[in-house]
Amino acid sequence: MPAPRIRTVARALPPYFADQDTLIAALRDEWVAKHFNIERLEELHRAVGVGGRYLAAPLEQYRALTTFRARNDAWITAALDLGAESVGAALTAAGLAPSDIDHLCFVTVTGLATPSIDARLVNRLGFRPDVTRTPIFGLGCVAGAAGTARVSDVLRAWPRRRALLLSVELCSLTLQRDDVSVANIISSGLFGDGAAALLMEGSELRGSGPEVLATASVFYPDTERVMGWDFVDTGFKVVLSATVPDVVREHVRGNVDDFLRAQGLARGDITHWVAHTGGPKVLKAFEEALELGPSALNRSWASLREVGNLSSASVLFVLADLLASGDARPGDLGLMMAMGPGFCAGLVLLRW
């Protein structure tokens, strides 16, 4: 059966960058009065394998963002700018205009807005009044893969339409400065800010790019406290269990094998692995569980090092790197995979 195709994926990063040592120095002042072992906190920060991150605001402005309202207002402003930039880049690369888009899906887990960011971009960028919208909140890191799947579902039903998936994640604006728990320290070292826009076309438009052959979602019962947020008076407080790599090792091989078997395939048929940048332990768990070669996840490792974990945008950044490289050849198969709150997994099978 003809399948929708991913025409392009565009990325956008904020204009402010800080290397990891600079970020550690800025946080040290916050930690020193709250924890007896600053050296241990710095070790945790460096262990995530991130060289630096792009920030939604200049580093010196974060001290003034003392309330959830201030941080969320900053999130809305930056999300609109980055969202507009990534959508514009995706449309330009495809030679299209906002009026050519029939469906707009927006995913995030780092800020709140009603009307949602996608609605505000309809006005700002000039989408048609009859564009359909699907804003999704709460899927976290898995939303890049899950959003790709949901957009492909729409285009299977409407094969002459075009759709955009927009992910905007500004993790730095969720930072809880008074929280010196291991989960928060690791998160403050791991997660970064960025946006990605994926443009997909229905099969009857006969566009270029990899086909979305099949998708799958897997939910793991009774794992709600593995990853997510607690919503407290000061905003988003991270829930991040040390068991995440264990969950990956326990489940991902069976999930991937079952998914591929249903398509008449096996792991050896996959040429390109597109994994979200969950952190060093998560990427190693992917490699071990799936018995991948040493270079299979090179793009994920590079993205982690260069920009950190961008939550839902991460797997889209890695896919964008693959598309830009030109390494994929006609007939190649690729597998997008991401995991997130629930705890759950999302899988997307691609064919060039």
mmCIF file with all atom_site columns, all heavy atoms in Angstrom, residues 95-109:
data_model
loop_
_atom_site.group_PDB
_atom_site.id
_atom_site.type_symbol
_atom_site.label_atom_id
_atom_site.label_alt_id
_atom_site.label_comp_id
_atom_site.label_asym_id
_atom_site.label_entity_id
_atom_site.label_seq_id
_atom_site.pdbx_PDB_ins_code
_atom_site.Cartn_x
_atom_site.Cartn_y
_atom_site.Cartn_z
_atom_site.occupancy
_atom_site.B_iso_or_equiv
_atom_site.pdbx_formal_charge
_atom_site.auth_seq_id
_atom_site.auth_comp_id
_atom_site.auth_asym_id
_atom_site.auth_atom_id
_atom_site.pdbx_PDB_model_num
ATOM 1   N N   . GLY A 1 95  ? 10.023 24.107 -0.813 1.00 0.00 ? 95  GLY A N   1
ATOM 2   C CA  . GLY A 1 95  ? 9.460  24.998 -1.821 1.00 0.00 ? 95  GLY A CA  1
ATOM 3   C C   . GLY A 1 95  ? 7.968  25.209 -1.659 1.00 0.00 ? 95  GLY A C   1
ATOM 4   O O   . GLY A 1 95  ? 7.240  25.388 -2.648 1.00 0.00 ? 95  GLY A O   1
ATOM 5   N N   . LEU A 1 96  ? 7.497  25.220 -0.408 1.00 0.00 ? 96  LEU A N   1
ATOM 6   C CA  . LEU A 1 96  ? 6.071  25.345 -0.122 1.00 0.00 ? 96  LEU A CA  1
ATOM 7   C C   . LEU A 1 96  ? 5.802  26.571 0.733  1.00 0.00 ? 96  LEU A C   1
ATOM 8   O O   . LEU A 1 96  ? 6.721  27.180 1.285  1.00 0.00 ? 96  LEU A O   1
ATOM 9   C CB  . LEU A 1 96  ? 5.563  24.086 0.598  1.00 0.00 ? 96  LEU A CB  1
ATOM 10  C CG  . LEU A 1 96  ? 5.677  22.767 -0.171 1.00 0.00 ? 96  LEU A CG  1
ATOM 11  C CD1 . LEU A 1 96  ? 5.332  21.595 0.737  1.00 0.00 ? 96  LEU A CD1 1
ATOM 12  C CD2 . LEU A 1 96  ? 4.772  22.776 -1.404 1.00 0.00 ? 96  LEU A CD2 1
ATOM 13  N N   . ALA A 1 97  ? 4.531  26.910 0.851  1.00 0.00 ? 97  ALA A N   1
ATOM 14  C CA  . ALA A 1 97  ? 4.077  28.030 1.672  1.00 0.00 ? 97  ALA A CA  1
ATOM 15  C C   . ALA A 1 97  ? 3.172  27.496 2.777  1.00 0.00 ? 97  ALA A C   1
ATOM 16  O O   . ALA A 1 97  ? 2.653  26.372 2.684  1.00 0.00 ? 97  ALA A O   1
ATOM 17  C CB  . ALA A 1 97  ? 3.310  29.041 0.815  1.00 0.00 ? 97  ALA A CB  1
ATOM 18  N N   . PRO A 1 98  ? 2.952  28.272 3.847  1.00 0.00 ? 98  PRO A N   1
ATOM 19  C CA  . PRO A 1 98  ? 2.028  27.820 4.901  1.00 0.00 ? 98  PRO A CA  1
ATOM 20  C C   . PRO A 1 98  ? 0.652  27.433 4.364  1.00 0.00 ? 98  PRO A C   1
ATOM 21  O O   . PRO A 1 98  ? 0.018  26.510 4.888  1.00 0.00 ? 98  PRO A O   1
ATOM 22  C CB  . PRO A 1 98  ? 1.946  29.038 5.827  1.00 0.00 ? 98  PRO A CB  1
ATOM 23  C CG  . PRO A 1 98  ? 3.266  29.712 5.667  1.00 0.00 ? 98  PRO A CG  1
ATOM 24  C CD  . PRO A 1 98  ? 3.610  29.546 4.207  1.00 0.00 ? 98  PRO A CD  1
ATOM 25  N N   . SER A 1 99  ? 0.207  28.083 3.316  1.00 0.00 ? 99  SER A N   1
ATOM 26  C CA  . SER A 1 99  ? -1.108 27.774 2.753  1.00 0.00 ? 99  SER A CA  1
ATOM 27  C C   . SER A 1 99  ? -1.171 26.396 2.115  1.00 0.00 ? 99  SER A C   1
ATOM 28  O O   . SER A 1 99  ? -2.264 25.884 1.821  1.00 0.00 ? 99  SER A O   1
ATOM 29  C CB  . SER A 1 99  ? -1.495 28.837 1.715  1.00 0.00 ? 99  SER A CB  1
ATOM 30  O OG  . SER A 1 99  ? -0.519 28.908 0.691  1.00 0.00 ? 99  SER A OG  1
ATOM 31  N N   . ASP A 1 100 ? -0.022 25.764 1.893  1.00 0.00 ? 100 ASP A N   1
ATOM 32  C CA  . ASP A 1 100 ? 0.007  24.410 1.318  1.00 0.00 ? 100 ASP A CA  1
ATOM 33  C C   . ASP A 1 100 ? -0.187 23.323 2.365  1.00 0.00 ? 100 ASP A C   1
ATOM 34  O O   . ASP A 1 100 ? -0.309 22.140 2.012  1.00 0.00 ? 100 ASP A O   1
ATOM 35  C CB  . ASP A 1 100 ? 1.345  24.172 0.609  1.00 0.00 ? 100 ASP A CB  1
ATOM 36  C CG  . ASP A 1 100 ? 1.536  25.062 -0.602 1.00 0.00 ? 100 ASP A CG  1
ATOM 37  O OD1 . ASP A 1 100 ? 0.597  25.163 -1.418 1.00 0.00 ? 100 ASP A OD1 1
ATOM 38  O OD2 . ASP A 1 100 ? 2.628  25.658 -0.727 1.00 0.00 ? 100 ASP A OD2 1
ATOM 39  N N   . ILE A 1 101 ? -0.204 23.694 3.637  1.00 0.00 ? 101 ILE A N   1
ATOM 40  C CA  . ILE A 1 101 ? -0.282 22.708 4.719  1.00 0.00 ? 101 ILE A CA  1
ATOM 41  C C   . ILE A 1 101 ? -1.731 22.519 5.155  1.00 0.00 ? 101 ILE A C   1
ATOM 42  O O   . ILE A 1 101 ? -2.458 23.477 5.397  1.00 0.00 ? 101 ILE A O   1
ATOM 43  C CB  . ILE A 1 101 ? 0.572  23.161 5.919  1.00 0.00 ? 101 ILE A CB  1
ATOM 44  C CG1 . ILE A 1 101 ? 2.030  23.324 5.490  1.00 0.00 ? 101 ILE A CG1 1
ATOM 45  C CG2 . ILE A 1 101 ? 0.449  22.176 7.075  1.00 0.00 ? 101 ILE A CG2 1
ATOM 46  C CD1 . ILE A 1 101 ? 2.666  22.080 4.901  1.00 0.00 ? 101 ILE A CD1 1
ATOM 47  N N   . ASP A 1 102 ? -2.136 21.250 5.256  1.00 0.00 ? 102 ASP A N   1
ATOM 48  C CA  . ASP A 1 102 ? -3.512 20.910 5.614  1.00 0.00 ? 102 ASP A CA  1
ATOM 49  C C   . ASP A 1 102 ? -3.677 20.547 7.081  1.00 0.00 ? 102 ASP A C   1
ATOM 50  O O   . ASP A 1 102 ? -4.770 20.674 7.626  1.00 0.00 ? 102 ASP A O   1
ATOM 51  C CB  . ASP A 1 102 ? -3.982 19.724 4.750  1.00 0.00 ? 102 ASP A CB  1
ATOM 52  C CG  . ASP A 1 102 ? -3.862 20.018 3.264  1.00 0.00 ? 102 ASP A CG  1
ATOM 53  O OD1 . ASP A 1 102 ? -4.643 20.834 2.767  1.00 0.00 ? 102 ASP A OD1 1
ATOM 54  O OD2 . ASP A 1 102 ? -2.966 19.424 2.623  1.00 0.00 ? 102 ASP A OD2 1
ATOM 55  N N   . HIS A 1 103 ? -2.599 20.063 7.703  1.00 0.00 ? 103 HIS A N   1
ATOM 56  C CA  . HIS A 1 103 ? -2.685 19.618 9.097  1.00 0.00 ? 103 HIS A CA  1
ATOM 57  C C   . HIS A 1 103 ? -1.430 20.037 9.833  1.00 0.00 ? 103 HIS A C   1
ATOM 58  O O   . HIS A 1 103 ? -0.319 19.916 9.304  1.00 0.00 ? 103 HIS A O   1
ATOM 59  C CB  . HIS A 1 103 ? -2.853 18.096 9.176  1.00 0.00 ? 103 HIS A CB  1
ATOM 60  C CG  . HIS A 1 103 ? -3.100 17.596 10.561 1.00 0.00 ? 103 HIS A CG  1
ATOM 61  N ND1 . HIS A 1 103 ? -4.348 17.573 11.133 1.00 0.00 ? 103 HIS A ND1 1
ATOM 62  C CD2 . HIS A 1 103 ? -2.253 17.109 11.497 1.00 0.00 ? 103 HIS A CD2 1
ATOM 63  C CE1 . HIS A 1 103 ? -4.253 17.095 12.366 1.00 0.00 ? 103 HIS A CE1 1
ATOM 64  N NE2 . HIS A 1 103 ? -2.994 16.811 12.616 1.00 0.00 ? 103 HIS A NE2 1
ATOM 65  N N   . LEU A 1 104 ? -1.603 20.519 11.058 1.00 0.00 ? 104 LEU A N   1
ATOM 66  C CA  . LEU A 1 104 ? -0.484 20.976 11.883 1.00 0.00 ? 104 LEU A CA  1
ATOM 67  C C   . LEU A 1 104 ? -0.566 20.299 13.239 1.00 0.00 ? 104 LEU A C   1
ATOM 68  O O   . LEU A 1 104 ? -1.539 20.462 13.978 1.00 0.00 ? 104 LEU A O   1
ATOM 69  C CB  . LEU A 1 104 ? -0.557 22.501 12.046 1.00 0.00 ? 104 LEU A CB  1
ATOM 70  C CG  . LEU A 1 104 ? 0.531  23.191 12.871 1.00 0.00 ? 104 LEU A CG  1
ATOM 71  C CD1 . LEU A 1 104 ? 1.913  22.896 12.319 1.00 0.00 ? 104 LEU A CD1 1
ATOM 72  C CD2 . LEU A 1 104 ? 0.275  24.692 12.914 1.00 0.00 ? 104 LEU A CD2 1
ATOM 73  N N   . CYS A 1 105 ? 0.452  19.495 13.558 1.00 0.00 ? 105 CYS A N   1
ATOM 74  C CA  . CYS A 1 105 ? 0.531  18.790 14.829 1.00 0.00 ? 105 CYS A CA  1
ATOM 75  C C   . CYS A 1 105 ? 1.657  19.406 15.648 1.00 0.00 ? 105 CYS A C   1
ATOM 76  O O   . CYS A 1 105 ? 2.762  19.614 15.136 1.00 0.00 ? 105 CYS A O   1
ATOM 77  C CB  . CYS A 1 105 ? 0.804  17.302 14.585 1.00 0.00 ? 105 CYS A CB  1
ATOM 78  S SG  . CYS A 1 105 ? 0.938  16.294 16.086 1.00 0.00 ? 105 CYS A SG  1
ATOM 79  N N   . PHE A 1 106 ? 1.383  19.702 16.910 1.00 0.00 ? 106 PHE A N   1
ATOM 80  C CA  . PHE A 1 106 ? 2.372  20.337 17.776 1.00 0.00 ? 106 PHE A CA  1
ATOM 81  C C   . PHE A 1 106 ? 2.580  19.486 19.016 1.00 0.00 ? 106 PHE A C   1
ATOM 82  O O   . PHE A 1 106 ? 1.619  19.079 19.674 1.00 0.00 ? 106 PHE A O   1
ATOM 83  C CB  . PHE A 1 106 ? 1.902  21.736 18.184 1.00 0.00 ? 106 PHE A CB  1
ATOM 84  C CG  . PHE A 1 106 ? 2.785  22.393 19.214 1.00 0.00 ? 106 PHE A CG  1
ATOM 85  C CD1 . PHE A 1 106 ? 4.081  22.756 18.896 1.00 0.00 ? 106 PHE A CD1 1
ATOM 86  C CD2 . PHE A 1 106 ? 2.326  22.640 20.499 1.00 0.00 ? 106 PHE A CD2 1
ATOM 87  C CE1 . PHE A 1 106 ? 4.907  23.352 19.836 1.00 0.00 ? 106 PHE A CE1 1
ATOM 88  C CE2 . PHE A 1 106 ? 3.139  23.235 21.447 1.00 0.00 ? 106 PHE A CE2 1
ATOM 89  C CZ  . PHE A 1 106 ? 4.437  23.602 21.112 1.00 0.00 ? 106 PHE A CZ  1
ATOM 90  N N   . VAL A 1 107 ? 3.850  19.208 19.351 1.00 0.00 ? 107 VAL A N   1
ATOM 91  C CA  . VAL A 1 107 ? 4.163  18.428 20.543 1.00 0.00 ? 107 VAL A CA  1
ATOM 92  C C   . VAL A 1 107 ? 5.144  19.190 21.425 1.00 0.00 ? 107 VAL A C   1
ATOM 93  O O   . VAL A 1 107 ? 6.063  19.852 20.943 1.00 0.00 ? 107 VAL A O   1
ATOM 94  C CB  . VAL A 1 107 ? 4.743  17.032 20.194 1.00 0.00 ? 107 VAL A CB  1
ATOM 95  C CG1 . VAL A 1 107 ? 3.714  16.190 19.448 1.00 0.00 ? 107 VAL A CG1 1
ATOM 96  C CG2 . VAL A 1 107 ? 6.020  17.145 19.370 1.00 0.00 ? 107 VAL A CG2 1
ATOM 97  N N   . THR A 1 108 ? 4.936  19.083 22.717 1.00 0.00 ? 108 THR A N   1
ATOM 98  C CA  . THR A 1 108 ? 5.842  19.654 23.706 1.00 0.00 ? 108 THR A CA  1
ATOM 99  C C   . THR A 1 108 ? 5.555  19.023 25.055 1.00 0.00 ? 108 THR A C   1
ATOM 100 O O   . THR A 1 108 ? 4.497  18.424 25.263 1.00 0.00 ? 108 THR A O   1
ATOM 101 C CB  . THR A 1 108 ? 5.697  21.183 23.797 1.00 0.00 ? 108 THR A CB  1
ATOM 102 O OG1 . THR A 1 108 ? 6.792  21.720 24.561 1.00 0.00 ? 108 THR A OG1 1
ATOM 103 C CG2 . THR A 1 108 ? 4.392  21.569 24.483 1.00 0.00 ? 108 THR A CG2 1
ATOM 104 N N   . VAL A 1 109 ? 6.511  19.210 25.995 1.00 0.00 ? 109 VAL A N   1
ATOM 105 C CA  . VAL A 1 109 ? 6.286  18.785 27.374 1.00 0.00 ? 109 VAL A CA  1
ATOM 106 C C   . VAL A 1 109 ? 6.911  19.774 28.348 1.00 0.00 ? 109 VAL A C   1
ATOM 107 O O   . VAL A 1 109 ? 6.984  19.515 29.539 1.00 0.00 ? 109 VAL A O   1
ATOM 108 C CB  . VAL A 1 109 ? 6.838  17.358 27.589 1.00 0.00 ? 109 VAL A CB  1
ATOM 109 C CG1 . VAL A 1 109 ? 8.364  17.353 27.663 1.00 0.00 ? 109 VAL A CG1 1
ATOM 110 C CG2 . VAL A 1 109 ? 6.226  16.691 28.823 1.00 0.00 ? 109 VAL A CG2 1
#
